[in-house]
Amino acid sequence: AQKITQTQPGMFVQEKEAVTLDCTYDTSDQSYGLFWYKQPSSGEMIFLIYQGSYDEQNATEGRYSLNFQKARKSANLVISASQLGDSAMYFCAMREYGGSNYKLTFGKGTLLTVNP
Amino acid sequence: DAGVTQSPTHLIKTRGQQVTLRCSPKSGHDTVSWYQQALGQGPQFIFQYYEEEERQRGNFPDRFSGHQFPNYSSELNVNALLLGDSALYLCASSLVGAPYGYTFGSGTRLTVV
């Protein structure tokens, strides 16, 4: 069964510094995708970045990059040059592509606070 | 280009009542998934609808049911509400066959008293 673990309930970072949010996953499928979402207090889940299990390069999207270590089953999110607007909950999620599975499984999230 | 629209945004219901939540998917999307997010937790998958059929269901009781209409919009119905049903209900739309590209709405915050 697919499982996502986020061990950092909260993280603090100074504005303009980089921060890494941890995510480990468990799956027996060879084909899967890993996602990171940002959830501000408004509630909407905002898609940040995606990594497929067969992608050889780590994904990057602007200030976001995903440090994908397949052997360790980790998919950490790196946010460079943090901004005050980055303060929010961050969720790691996974989808297995084998069989008839269409659901995303989420971790419990990490609350990021960016200090001025 | 409108994203996912959910209504209502907030709702207060009494234990034992029934509730209907609505979702309009992003333009061009044909699949709708529903998630329940309890306070302090990550979202939990309830079910997904495609071609007006429930395609996959998570670990939720039969009190949770849904529907998808020909225009791809969807409803989530919860019967016999319990206090534990209080949560943020998120709708996500996607295009069948796309490995990613889920778009979430802002959710409906349901409070059961």
Side-chain angles (χ1 to χ4, degrees):
Chain A
Q2 54 189 11
K3 184 179 178 181
I4 295 286
T5 303
Q6 294 180 254
T7 58
Q8 307 155 313
M11 289 284 285
F12 293 89
V13 66
Q14 288 296 124
E15 194 178 6
K16 300 180 183 177
E17 291 187 350
V19 63
T20 298
L21 306 183
D22 294 341
C23 172
T24 58
Y25 61 92
D26 188 21
T27 179
S28 55
D29 272 26
Q30 297 301 310
S31 179
Y32 53 89
L34 296 156
F35 303 73
W36 276 93
Y37 287 89
K38 172 184 178 181
Q39 187 178 43
S41 56
S42 62
E44 182 181 1
M45 298 289 277
I46 301 168
F47 169 75
L48 296 177
I49 197 166
Y50 170 83
Q51 179 88 39
S53 59
Y54 293 117
D55 294 341
E56 295 185 353
Q57 304 262 4
N58 284 344
T60 60
E61 290 284 352
R63 295 187 298 111
Y64 305 108
S65 60
L66 199 152
N67 184 1
F68 181 46
Q69 299 190 38
K70 196 170 182 177
R72 294 185 177 184
K73 292 190 174 179
S74 75
N76 298 339
L77 176 70
V78 180
I79 305 175
S80 63
S82 296
Q83 302 173 356
L84 296 178
D86 293 335
S87 294
M89 282 292 293
Y90 287 80
F91 290 94
C92 179
M94 177 173 67
R95 178 186 164 186
E96 295 173 332
Y97 295 120
S100 300
N101 178 62
Y102 307 99
K103 69 177 181 182
L104 292 175
T105 297
F106 287 83
K108 291 188 175 183
T110 296
L111 178 62
L112 177 66
T113 303
V114 181
N115 295 316
Chain B
D1 180 23
V4 176
T5 304
Q6 290 188 244
S7 63
T9 54
H10 295 82
L11 202 53
I12 300 175
K13 289 286 190 178
T14 304
R15 273 180 301 175
Q17 285 188 319
Q18 179 262 346
V19 68
T20 297
L21 311 182
R22 295 176 175 84
C23 172
S24 293
K26 179 179 178 179
S27 177
H29 285 182
D30 56 9
T31 302
V32 173
S33 303
W34 286 92
Y35 290 81
Q36 180 195 66
Q37 186 178 15
L39 197 61
Q41 302 294 318
Q44 298 289 317
F45 177 77
I46 302 175
F47 41 55
Q48 185 182 86
Y49 276 83
Y50 171 65
E51 290 189 331
E52 303 179 47
E53 297 281 339
E54 183 183 286
R55 188 157 76 154
Q56 186 181 6
R57 187 178 184 91
N59 189 25
F60 279 81
D62 291 345
R63 299 186 297 108
F64 289 77
S65 63
H67 190 76
Q68 186 180 34
F69 299 94
N71 66 353
Y72 308 119
S73 66
S74 176
E75 288 182 350
L76 164 65
N77 300 292
V78 187
N79 294 323
L81 284 167
L82 304 174
L83 295 180
D85 295 331
S86 295
L88 179 67
Y89 289 84
L90 293 164
C91 171
S93 71
S94 57
L95 184 61
V96 71
Y100 63 100
Y102 299 89
T103 301
F104 281 81
S106 295
T108 293
R109 190 164 298 280
L110 173 65
T111 302
V112 182
V113 297

